[in-house]
Amino acid sequence: MEQLRQTVISCVRCPRLTEYRQLVAQKKVRRYADWEYWGKPLSGFGDPEARVLLVGLAPAAHGGNRTGRMFTGDLSGEWLYRALHQFGFASAPTSQHRDDGLTLHDVYITAAVRCAPPENKPLPDELANCRPYLLHELTLLRHLRV
């Protein structure tokens, strides 16, 4: 998993996505002006022995692109991590940033696209460029059931 994570976070396969995620990380919105944005592609997150896989579309520009973790720092993540915690899959009901100590149990979270796309709309070739990462995760997550 660590080798895949390093490959993902160094990816520059999609010029449009690379430019956009870096631009968002430099020209921050006012409410996150004091944050140091992650501004790189996001790898999956969770339990490598997981039986449950959650696949989102892509990181949010001021969520995952800012925090460095899927579904972290945006409204969808607030709902998701609260639900995961309620049902015993997460160690805490919130996820603030990639180094907040949150752990997942029996669940792994990833996305079809690893960079925040403009208007949250990845292009077909961008989906195709990220597909090998998702397929590689599927081969590494040997206990998946759902």
PDB file of all heavy atoms in Angstrom, residues 20-21 23-33 35 37-38 42 59-69 71-75 96 116-117:
ATOM      1  N   TYR A  20      -5.172  22.581 -11.730  1.00  0.00           N
ATOM      2  CA  TYR A  20      -6.285  23.045 -10.901  1.00  0.00           C
ATOM      3  C   TYR A  20      -6.015  22.812  -9.408  1.00  0.00           C
ATOM      4  O   TYR A  20      -6.209  23.711  -8.594  1.00  0.00           O
ATOM      5  CB  TYR A  20      -7.584  22.358 -11.318  1.00  0.00           C
ATOM      6  CG  TYR A  20      -8.767  22.799 -10.497  1.00  0.00           C
ATOM      7  CD1 TYR A  20      -9.296  24.077 -10.650  1.00  0.00           C
ATOM      8  CD2 TYR A  20      -9.343  21.950  -9.555  1.00  0.00           C
ATOM      9  CE1 TYR A  20     -10.376  24.501  -9.886  1.00  0.00           C
ATOM     10  CE2 TYR A  20     -10.422  22.371  -8.796  1.00  0.00           C
ATOM     11  CZ  TYR A  20     -10.924  23.641  -8.959  1.00  0.00           C
ATOM     12  OH  TYR A  20     -11.989  24.060  -8.188  1.00  0.00           O
ATOM     13  N   ARG A  21      -5.581  21.604  -9.028  1.00  0.00           N
ATOM     14  CA  ARG A  21      -5.367  21.322  -7.603  1.00  0.00           C
ATOM     15  C   ARG A  21      -4.275  22.205  -7.027  1.00  0.00           C
ATOM     16  O   ARG A  21      -4.356  22.648  -5.881  1.00  0.00           O
ATOM     17  CB  ARG A  21      -5.112  19.848  -7.345  1.00  0.00           C
ATOM     18  CG  ARG A  21      -3.815  19.312  -7.883  1.00  0.00           C
ATOM     19  CD  ARG A  21      -3.586  17.854  -7.470  1.00  0.00           C
ATOM     20  NE  ARG A  21      -2.662  17.181  -8.315  1.00  0.00           N
ATOM     21  CZ  ARG A  21      -1.348  17.368  -8.322  1.00  0.00           C
ATOM     22  NH1 ARG A  21      -0.806  18.237  -7.502  1.00  0.00           N
ATOM     23  NH2 ARG A  21      -0.577  16.689  -9.148  1.00  0.00           N
ATOM     24  N   LEU A  23      -3.447  25.262  -8.204  1.00  0.00           N
ATOM     25  CA  LEU A  23      -3.991  26.621  -8.175  1.00  0.00           C
ATOM     26  C   LEU A  23      -4.878  26.822  -6.945  1.00  0.00           C
ATOM     27  O   LEU A  23      -4.764  27.826  -6.238  1.00  0.00           O
ATOM     28  CB  LEU A  23      -4.782  26.902  -9.453  1.00  0.00           C
ATOM     29  CG  LEU A  23      -5.452  28.275  -9.535  1.00  0.00           C
ATOM     30  CD1 LEU A  23      -4.398  29.372  -9.607  1.00  0.00           C
ATOM     31  CD2 LEU A  23      -6.373  28.332 -10.744  1.00  0.00           C
ATOM     32  N   VAL A  24      -5.756  25.869  -6.679  1.00  0.00           N
ATOM     33  CA  VAL A  24      -6.632  25.947  -5.509  1.00  0.00           C
ATOM     34  C   VAL A  24      -5.803  25.998  -4.224  1.00  0.00           C
ATOM     35  O   VAL A  24      -6.124  26.736  -3.291  1.00  0.00           O
ATOM     36  CB  VAL A  24      -7.615  24.752  -5.482  1.00  0.00           C
ATOM     37  CG1 VAL A  24      -8.329  24.649  -4.153  1.00  0.00           C
ATOM     38  CG2 VAL A  24      -8.616  24.871  -6.622  1.00  0.00           C
ATOM     39  N   ALA A  25      -4.719  25.237  -4.181  1.00  0.00           N
ATOM     40  CA  ALA A  25      -3.860  25.209  -2.993  1.00  0.00           C
ATOM     41  C   ALA A  25      -3.112  26.529  -2.790  1.00  0.00           C
ATOM     42  O   ALA A  25      -2.760  26.875  -1.660  1.00  0.00           O
ATOM     43  CB  ALA A  25      -2.872  24.055  -3.088  1.00  0.00           C
ATOM     44  N   GLN A  26      -2.900  27.267  -3.854  1.00  0.00           N
ATOM     45  CA  GLN A  26      -2.206  28.558  -3.753  1.00  0.00           C
ATOM     46  C   GLN A  26      -3.178  29.701  -3.510  1.00  0.00           C
ATOM     47  O   GLN A  26      -2.920  30.577  -2.692  1.00  0.00           O
ATOM     48  CB  GLN A  26      -1.403  28.828  -5.028  1.00  0.00           C
ATOM     49  CG  GLN A  26      -0.228  27.907  -5.205  1.00  0.00           C
ATOM     50  CD  GLN A  26       0.394  28.031  -6.587  1.00  0.00           C
ATOM     51  OE1 GLN A  26      -0.083  28.790  -7.433  1.00  0.00           O
ATOM     52  NE2 GLN A  26       1.455  27.287  -6.822  1.00  0.00           N
ATOM     53  N   LYS A  27      -4.297  29.701  -4.243  1.00  0.00           N
ATOM     54  CA  LYS A  27      -5.298  30.768  -4.120  1.00  0.00           C
ATOM     55  C   LYS A  27      -6.438  30.252  -3.246  1.00  0.00           C
ATOM     56  O   LYS A  27      -7.507  29.925  -3.742  1.00  0.00           O
ATOM     57  CB  LYS A  27      -5.805  31.184  -5.497  1.00  0.00           C
ATOM     58  CG  LYS A  27      -4.739  31.825  -6.340  1.00  0.00           C
ATOM     59  CD  LYS A  27      -5.312  32.337  -7.629  1.00  0.00           C
ATOM     60  CE  LYS A  27      -4.227  33.064  -8.408  1.00  0.00           C
ATOM     61  NZ  LYS A  27      -4.758  33.791  -9.548  1.00  0.00           N
ATOM     62  N   LYS A  28      -6.205  30.220  -1.972  1.00  0.00           N
ATOM     63  CA  LYS A  28      -7.141  29.632  -1.013  1.00  0.00           C
ATOM     64  C   LYS A  28      -8.373  30.503  -0.848  1.00  0.00           C
ATOM     65  O   LYS A  28      -8.316  31.720  -1.014  1.00  0.00           O
ATOM     66  CB  LYS A  28      -6.445  29.491   0.337  1.00  0.00           C
ATOM     67  CG  LYS A  28      -5.136  28.753   0.250  1.00  0.00           C
ATOM     68  CD  LYS A  28      -4.344  28.919   1.530  1.00  0.00           C
ATOM     69  CE  LYS A  28      -2.959  28.321   1.354  1.00  0.00           C
ATOM     70  NZ  LYS A  28      -2.118  28.577   2.490  1.00  0.00           N
ATOM     71  N   VAL A  29      -9.473  29.872  -0.463  1.00  0.00           N
ATOM     72  CA  VAL A  29     -10.649  30.642  -0.092  1.00  0.00           C
ATOM     73  C   VAL A  29     -10.388  31.265   1.273  1.00  0.00           C
ATOM     74  O   VAL A  29      -9.580  30.770   2.058  1.00  0.00           O
ATOM     75  CB  VAL A  29     -11.932  29.765  -0.072  1.00  0.00           C
ATOM     76  CG1 VAL A  29     -12.288  29.289  -1.461  1.00  0.00           C
ATOM     77  CG2 VAL A  29     -11.784  28.599   0.882  1.00  0.00           C
ATOM     78  N   ARG A  30     -11.055  32.358   1.542  1.00  0.00           N
ATOM     79  CA  ARG A  30     -10.807  33.135   2.766  1.00  0.00           C
ATOM     80  C   ARG A  30     -10.909  32.296   4.046  1.00  0.00           C
ATOM     81  O   ARG A  30     -10.082  32.416   4.937  1.00  0.00           O
ATOM     82  CB  ARG A  30     -11.768  34.315   2.840  1.00  0.00           C
ATOM     83  CG  ARG A  30     -11.499  35.210   4.047  1.00  0.00           C
ATOM     84  CD  ARG A  30     -12.405  36.410   4.099  1.00  0.00           C
ATOM     85  NE  ARG A  30     -12.187  37.227   2.915  1.00  0.00           N
ATOM     86  CZ  ARG A  30     -13.122  37.935   2.309  1.00  0.00           C
ATOM     87  NH1 ARG A  30     -14.348  37.961   2.793  1.00  0.00           N
ATOM     88  NH2 ARG A  30     -12.846  38.646   1.239  1.00  0.00           N
ATOM     89  N   ARG A  31     -11.910  31.423   4.134  1.00  0.00           N
ATOM     90  CA  ARG A  31     -12.118  30.671   5.374  1.00  0.00           C
ATOM     91  C   ARG A  31     -10.980  29.693   5.681  1.00  0.00           C
ATOM     92  O   ARG A  31     -10.851  29.233   6.810  1.00  0.00           O
ATOM     93  CB  ARG A  31     -13.471  29.965   5.368  1.00  0.00           C
ATOM     94  CG  ARG A  31     -13.607  28.822   4.402  1.00  0.00           C
ATOM     95  CD  ARG A  31     -15.043  28.269   4.405  1.00  0.00           C
ATOM     96  NE  ARG A  31     -15.211  27.186   3.495  1.00  0.00           N
ATOM     97  CZ  ARG A  31     -15.523  27.305   2.207  1.00  0.00           C
ATOM     98  NH1 ARG A  31     -15.719  28.490   1.692  1.00  0.00           N
ATOM     99  NH2 ARG A  31     -15.665  26.240   1.442  1.00  0.00           N
ATOM    100  N   TYR A  32     -10.161  29.361   4.686  1.00  0.00           N
ATOM    101  CA  TYR A  32      -9.030  28.457   4.896  1.00  0.00           C
ATOM    102  C   TYR A  32      -7.696  29.140   4.594  1.00  0.00           C
ATOM    103  O   TYR A  32      -6.701  28.477   4.317  1.00  0.00           O
ATOM    104  CB  TYR A  32      -9.176  27.196   4.042  1.00  0.00           C
ATOM    105  CG  TYR A  32     -10.422  26.415   4.368  1.00  0.00           C
ATOM    106  CD1 TYR A  32     -11.366  26.140   3.389  1.00  0.00           C
ATOM    107  CD2 TYR A  32     -10.665  25.965   5.657  1.00  0.00           C
ATOM    108  CE1 TYR A  32     -12.518  25.426   3.686  1.00  0.00           C
ATOM    109  CE2 TYR A  32     -11.819  25.257   5.965  1.00  0.00           C
ATOM    110  CZ  TYR A  32     -12.735  24.992   4.972  1.00  0.00           C
ATOM    111  OH  TYR A  32     -13.874  24.282   5.269  1.00  0.00           O
ATOM    112  N   ALA A  33      -7.664  30.448   4.657  1.00  0.00           N
ATOM    113  CA  ALA A  33      -6.460  31.205   4.310  1.00  0.00           C
ATOM    114  C   ALA A  33      -5.254  30.821   5.161  1.00  0.00           C
ATOM    115  O   ALA A  33      -4.113  30.889   4.691  1.00  0.00           O
ATOM    116  CB  ALA A  33      -6.730  32.706   4.434  1.00  0.00           C
ATOM    117  N   TRP A  35      -4.616  27.816   6.349  1.00  0.00           N
ATOM    118  CA  TRP A  35      -4.274  26.403   6.161  1.00  0.00           C
ATOM    119  C   TRP A  35      -3.123  26.256   5.165  1.00  0.00           C
ATOM    120  O   TRP A  35      -3.051  26.991   4.182  1.00  0.00           O
ATOM    121  CB  TRP A  35      -5.463  25.638   5.597  1.00  0.00           C
ATOM    122  CG  TRP A  35      -6.413  25.128   6.636  1.00  0.00           C
ATOM    123  CD1 TRP A  35      -7.349  25.856   7.308  1.00  0.00           C
ATOM    124  CD2 TRP A  35      -6.530  23.781   7.089  1.00  0.00           C
ATOM    125  NE1 TRP A  35      -8.043  25.039   8.149  1.00  0.00           N
ATOM    126  CE2 TRP A  35      -7.561  23.759   8.045  1.00  0.00           C
ATOM    127  CE3 TRP A  35      -5.869  22.604   6.783  1.00  0.00           C
ATOM    128  CZ2 TRP A  35      -7.949  22.592   8.690  1.00  0.00           C
ATOM    129  CZ3 TRP A  35      -6.261  21.449   7.420  1.00  0.00           C
ATOM    130  CH2 TRP A  35      -7.283  21.456   8.368  1.00  0.00           C
ATOM    131  N   TYR A  37      -2.396  23.934   2.391  1.00  0.00           N
ATOM    132  CA  TYR A  37      -3.111  22.930   1.601  1.00  0.00           C
ATOM    133  C   TYR A  37      -2.193  21.775   1.222  1.00  0.00           C
ATOM    134  O   TYR A  37      -1.011  21.967   0.948  1.00  0.00           O
ATOM    135  CB  TYR A  37      -3.654  23.560   0.315  1.00  0.00           C
ATOM    136  CG  TYR A  37      -4.994  24.230   0.443  1.00  0.00           C
ATOM    137  CD1 TYR A  37      -5.228  25.229   1.379  1.00  0.00           C
ATOM    138  CD2 TYR A  37      -6.044  23.878  -0.404  1.00  0.00           C
ATOM    139  CE1 TYR A  37      -6.460  25.855   1.467  1.00  0.00           C
ATOM    140  CE2 TYR A  37      -7.283  24.493  -0.326  1.00  0.00           C
ATOM    141  CZ  TYR A  37      -7.485  25.481   0.617  1.00  0.00           C
ATOM    142  OH  TYR A  37      -8.712  26.100   0.709  1.00  0.00           O
ATOM    143  N   TRP A  38      -2.779  20.591   1.166  1.00  0.00           N
ATOM    144  CA  TRP A  38      -2.065  19.398   0.687  1.00  0.00           C
ATOM    145  C   TRP A  38      -1.703  19.604  -0.781  1.00  0.00           C
ATOM    146  O   TRP A  38      -0.549  19.471  -1.160  1.00  0.00           O
ATOM    147  CB  TRP A  38      -2.986  18.187   0.884  1.00  0.00           C
ATOM    148  CG  TRP A  38      -2.508  16.898   0.296  1.00  0.00           C
ATOM    149  CD1 TRP A  38      -3.022  16.275  -0.802  1.00  0.00           C
ATOM    150  CD2 TRP A  38      -1.459  16.057   0.780  1.00  0.00           C
ATOM    151  NE1 TRP A  38      -2.349  15.094  -1.035  1.00  0.00           N
ATOM    152  CE2 TRP A  38      -1.382  14.939  -0.074  1.00  0.00           C
ATOM    153  CE3 TRP A  38      -0.570  16.132   1.840  1.00  0.00           C
ATOM    154  CZ2 TRP A  38      -0.468  13.910   0.105  1.00  0.00           C
ATOM    155  CZ3 TRP A  38       0.346  15.102   2.022  1.00  0.00           C
ATOM    156  CH2 TRP A  38       0.386  14.015   1.158  1.00  0.00           C
ATOM    157  N   LEU A  42      -4.653  12.371  -3.953  1.00  0.00           N
ATOM    158  CA  LEU A  42      -4.938  11.665  -2.704  1.00  0.00           C
ATOM    159  C   LEU A  42      -4.937  10.164  -2.907  1.00  0.00           C
ATOM    160  O   LEU A  42      -5.550   9.647  -3.841  1.00  0.00           O
ATOM    161  CB  LEU A  42      -6.306  12.072  -2.153  1.00  0.00           C
ATOM    162  CG  LEU A  42      -6.465  13.510  -1.715  1.00  0.00           C
ATOM    163  CD1 LEU A  42      -7.861  13.730  -1.163  1.00  0.00           C
ATOM    164  CD2 LEU A  42      -5.438  13.894  -0.689  1.00  0.00           C
ATOM    165  N   PRO A  59     -11.701  13.980  -4.739  1.00  0.00           N
ATOM    166  CA  PRO A  59     -11.585  14.863  -3.579  1.00  0.00           C
ATOM    167  C   PRO A  59     -12.204  16.229  -3.862  1.00  0.00           C
ATOM    168  O   PRO A  59     -12.231  16.687  -5.003  1.00  0.00           O
ATOM    169  CB  PRO A  59     -10.081  15.015  -3.380  1.00  0.00           C
ATOM    170  CG  PRO A  59      -9.429  14.054  -4.294  1.00  0.00           C
ATOM    171  CD  PRO A  59     -10.410  13.638  -5.321  1.00  0.00           C
ATOM    172  N   ALA A  60     -12.683  16.872  -2.810  1.00  0.00           N
ATOM    173  CA  ALA A  60     -13.207  18.229  -2.925  1.00  0.00           C
ATOM    174  C   ALA A  60     -12.047  19.217  -2.958  1.00  0.00           C
ATOM    175  O   ALA A  60     -11.024  19.011  -2.311  1.00  0.00           O
ATOM    176  CB  ALA A  60     -14.125  18.537  -1.747  1.00  0.00           C
ATOM    177  N   ALA A  61     -12.216  20.299  -3.692  1.00  0.00           N
ATOM    178  CA  ALA A  61     -11.145  21.293  -3.848  1.00  0.00           C
ATOM    179  C   ALA A  61     -10.686  21.862  -2.513  1.00  0.00           C
ATOM    180  O   ALA A  61      -9.489  22.046  -2.287  1.00  0.00           O
ATOM    181  CB  ALA A  61     -11.613  22.414  -4.778  1.00  0.00           C
ATOM    182  N   HIS A  62     -11.633  22.143  -1.616  1.00  0.00           N
ATOM    183  CA  HIS A  62     -11.276  22.718  -0.323  1.00  0.00           C
ATOM    184  C   HIS A  62     -11.523  21.732   0.811  1.00  0.00           C
ATOM    185  O   HIS A  62     -11.514  22.103   1.976  1.00  0.00           O
ATOM    186  CB  HIS A  62     -12.039  24.028  -0.094  1.00  0.00           C
ATOM    187  CG  HIS A  62     -11.721  25.043  -1.146  1.00  0.00           C
ATOM    188  ND1 HIS A  62     -10.529  25.722  -1.190  1.00  0.00           N
ATOM    189  CD2 HIS A  62     -12.425  25.439  -2.229  1.00  0.00           C
ATOM    190  CE1 HIS A  62     -10.522  26.519  -2.243  1.00  0.00           C
ATOM    191  NE2 HIS A  62     -11.654  26.357  -2.896  1.00  0.00           N
ATOM    192  N   GLY A  63     -11.735  20.471   0.453  1.00  0.00           N
ATOM    193  CA  GLY A  63     -11.858  19.380   1.414  1.00  0.00           C
ATOM    194  C   GLY A  63     -10.579  18.561   1.359  1.00  0.00           C
ATOM    195  O   GLY A  63      -9.564  18.919   1.945  1.00  0.00           O
ATOM    196  N   GLY A  64     -10.627  17.450   0.640  1.00  0.00           N
ATOM    197  CA  GLY A  64      -9.461  16.569   0.530  1.00  0.00           C
ATOM    198  C   GLY A  64      -8.236  17.243  -0.048  1.00  0.00           C
ATOM    199  O   GLY A  64      -7.109  16.969   0.372  1.00  0.00           O
ATOM    200  N   ASN A  65      -8.405  18.119  -1.019  1.00  0.00           N
ATOM    201  CA  ASN A  65      -7.262  18.826  -1.599  1.00  0.00           C
ATOM    202  C   ASN A  65      -6.568  19.704  -0.548  1.00  0.00           C
ATOM    203  O   ASN A  65      -5.383  19.936  -0.611  1.00  0.00           O
ATOM    204  CB  ASN A  65      -7.703  19.675  -2.789  1.00  0.00           C
ATOM    205  CG  ASN A  65      -6.543  20.228  -3.586  1.00  0.00           C
ATOM    206  OD1 ASN A  65      -5.669  19.486  -4.029  1.00  0.00           O
ATOM    207  ND2 ASN A  65      -6.516  21.536  -3.767  1.00  0.00           N
ATOM    208  N   ARG A  66      -7.338  20.142   0.431  1.00  0.00           N
ATOM    209  CA  ARG A  66      -6.797  20.962   1.518  1.00  0.00           C
ATOM    210  C   ARG A  66      -6.213  20.092   2.629  1.00  0.00           C
ATOM    211  O   ARG A  66      -5.114  20.320   3.101  1.00  0.00           O
ATOM    212  CB  ARG A  66      -7.901  21.864   2.090  1.00  0.00           C
ATOM    213  CG  ARG A  66      -7.515  22.635   3.331  1.00  0.00           C
ATOM    214  CD  ARG A  66      -8.625  23.584   3.753  1.00  0.00           C
ATOM    215  NE  ARG A  66      -9.907  22.942   3.948  1.00  0.00           N
ATOM    216  CZ  ARG A  66     -10.326  22.410   5.101  1.00  0.00           C
ATOM    217  NH1 ARG A  66      -9.554  22.453   6.168  1.00  0.00           N
ATOM    218  NH2 ARG A  66     -11.514  21.851   5.183  1.00  0.00           N
ATOM    219  N   THR A  67      -6.944  19.046   3.017  1.00  0.00           N
ATOM    220  CA  THR A  67      -6.587  18.267   4.204  1.00  0.00           C
ATOM    221  C   THR A  67      -5.679  17.076   3.933  1.00  0.00           C
ATOM    222  O   THR A  67      -5.034  16.573   4.843  1.00  0.00           O
ATOM    223  CB  THR A  67      -7.851  17.740   4.891  1.00  0.00           C
ATOM    224  OG1 THR A  67      -8.507  16.815   4.016  1.00  0.00           O
ATOM    225  CG2 THR A  67      -8.791  18.878   5.274  1.00  0.00           C
ATOM    226  N   GLY A  68      -5.669  16.595   2.695  1.00  0.00           N
ATOM    227  CA  GLY A  68      -4.831  15.451   2.362  1.00  0.00           C
ATOM    228  C   GLY A  68      -5.468  14.105   2.624  1.00  0.00           C
ATOM    229  O   GLY A  68      -4.782  13.084   2.585  1.00  0.00           O
ATOM    230  N   ARG A  69      -6.779  14.069   2.880  1.00  0.00           N
ATOM    231  CA  ARG A  69      -7.468  12.802   3.118  1.00  0.00           C
ATOM    232  C   ARG A  69      -8.840  12.837   2.445  1.00  0.00           C
ATOM    233  O   ARG A  69      -9.542  13.836   2.493  1.00  0.00           O
ATOM    234  CB  ARG A  69      -7.652  12.558   4.606  1.00  0.00           C
ATOM    235  CG  ARG A  69      -8.317  11.212   4.891  1.00  0.00           C
ATOM    236  CD  ARG A  69      -8.665  11.033   6.353  1.00  0.00           C
ATOM    237  NE  ARG A  69      -7.494  10.857   7.165  1.00  0.00           N
ATOM    238  CZ  ARG A  69      -7.454  11.173   8.470  1.00  0.00           C
ATOM    239  NH1 ARG A  69      -8.515  11.687   9.073  1.00  0.00           N
ATOM    240  NH2 ARG A  69      -6.362  10.977   9.155  1.00  0.00           N
ATOM    241  N   PHE A  71     -12.661  12.601   1.733  1.00  0.00           N
ATOM    242  CA  PHE A  71     -13.852  12.927   2.517  1.00  0.00           C
ATOM    243  C   PHE A  71     -13.515  13.625   3.831  1.00  0.00           C
ATOM    244  O   PHE A  71     -14.191  13.415   4.837  1.00  0.00           O
ATOM    245  CB  PHE A  71     -14.685  11.670   2.803  1.00  0.00           C
ATOM    246  CG  PHE A  71     -15.381  11.123   1.601  1.00  0.00           C
ATOM    247  CD1 PHE A  71     -14.912   9.992   0.979  1.00  0.00           C
ATOM    248  CD2 PHE A  71     -16.502  11.752   1.083  1.00  0.00           C
ATOM    249  CE1 PHE A  71     -15.549   9.471  -0.134  1.00  0.00           C
ATOM    250  CE2 PHE A  71     -17.149  11.241  -0.033  1.00  0.00           C
ATOM    251  CZ  PHE A  71     -16.665  10.096  -0.642  1.00  0.00           C
ATOM    252  N   THR A  72     -12.510  14.444   3.831  1.00  0.00           N
ATOM    253  CA  THR A  72     -12.117  15.152   5.046  1.00  0.00           C
ATOM    254  C   THR A  72     -12.121  16.642   4.765  1.00  0.00           C
ATOM    255  O   THR A  72     -11.532  17.097   3.789  1.00  0.00           O
ATOM    256  CB  THR A  72     -10.724  14.689   5.522  1.00  0.00           C
ATOM    257  OG1 THR A  72     -10.804  13.297   5.824  1.00  0.00           O
ATOM    258  CG2 THR A  72     -10.265  15.446   6.734  1.00  0.00           C
ATOM    259  N   GLY A  73     -12.811  17.379   5.642  1.00  0.00           N
ATOM    260  CA  GLY A  73     -12.859  18.827   5.493  1.00  0.00           C
ATOM    261  C   GLY A  73     -14.004  19.340   4.657  1.00  0.00           C
ATOM    262  O   GLY A  73     -14.022  20.507   4.289  1.00  0.00           O
ATOM    263  N   ASP A  74     -14.978  18.477   4.358  1.00  0.00           N
ATOM    264  CA  ASP A  74     -16.150  18.928   3.599  1.00  0.00           C
ATOM    265  C   ASP A  74     -17.416  18.344   4.226  1.00  0.00           C
ATOM    266  O   ASP A  74     -17.345  17.486   5.110  1.00  0.00           O
ATOM    267  CB  ASP A  74     -16.041  18.568   2.119  1.00  0.00           C
ATOM    268  CG  ASP A  74     -15.875  17.080   1.857  1.00  0.00           C
ATOM    269  OD1 ASP A  74     -16.462  16.271   2.595  1.00  0.00           O
ATOM    270  OD2 ASP A  74     -15.174  16.718   0.904  1.00  0.00           O
ATOM    271  N   LEU A  75     -18.569  18.821   3.792  1.00  0.00           N
ATOM    272  CA  LEU A  75     -19.834  18.392   4.396  1.00  0.00           C
ATOM    273  C   LEU A  75     -20.113  16.904   4.220  1.00  0.00           C
ATOM    274  O   LEU A  75     -20.627  16.257   5.128  1.00  0.00           O
ATOM    275  CB  LEU A  75     -20.993  19.211   3.829  1.00  0.00           C
ATOM    276  CG  LEU A  75     -21.005  20.681   4.243  1.00  0.00           C
ATOM    277  CD1 LEU A  75     -22.131  21.423   3.537  1.00  0.00           C
ATOM    278  CD2 LEU A  75     -21.134  20.820   5.746  1.00  0.00           C
ATOM    279  N   GLN A  96     -10.490  15.696  10.568  1.00  0.00           N
ATOM    280  CA  GLN A  96     -10.071  17.080  10.378  1.00  0.00           C
ATOM    281  C   GLN A  96      -8.945  17.244   9.354  1.00  0.00           C
ATOM    282  O   GLN A  96      -8.935  18.186   8.591  1.00  0.00           O
ATOM    283  CB  GLN A  96      -9.621  17.675  11.711  1.00  0.00           C
ATOM    284  CG  GLN A  96     -10.694  17.616  12.785  1.00  0.00           C
ATOM    285  CD  GLN A  96     -11.951  18.365  12.396  1.00  0.00           C
ATOM    286  OE1 GLN A  96     -11.874  19.470  11.885  1.00  0.00           O
ATOM    287  NE2 GLN A  96     -13.106  17.761  12.610  1.00  0.00           N
ATOM    288  N   ALA A 116      -8.729  16.878  -7.155  1.00  0.00           N
ATOM    289  CA  ALA A 116      -9.963  17.662  -7.215  1.00  0.00           C
ATOM    290  C   ALA A 116     -10.136  18.210  -8.632  1.00  0.00           C
ATOM    291  O   ALA A 116      -9.270  18.926  -9.126  1.00  0.00           O
ATOM    292  CB  ALA A 116      -9.903  18.806  -6.213  1.00  0.00           C
ATOM    293  N   PRO A 117     -11.253  17.882  -9.292  1.00  0.00           N
ATOM    294  CA  PRO A 117     -11.483  18.401 -10.641  1.00  0.00           C
ATOM    295  C   PRO A 117     -12.267  19.715 -10.610  1.00  0.00           C
ATOM    296  O   PRO A 117     -13.073  19.940  -9.703  1.00  0.00           O
ATOM    297  CB  PRO A 117     -12.322  17.308 -11.294  1.00  0.00           C
ATOM    298  CG  PRO A 117     -13.060  16.676 -10.168  1.00  0.00           C
ATOM    299  CD  PRO A 117     -12.184  16.807  -8.947  1.00  0.00           C
TER     300      PRO A 117
END
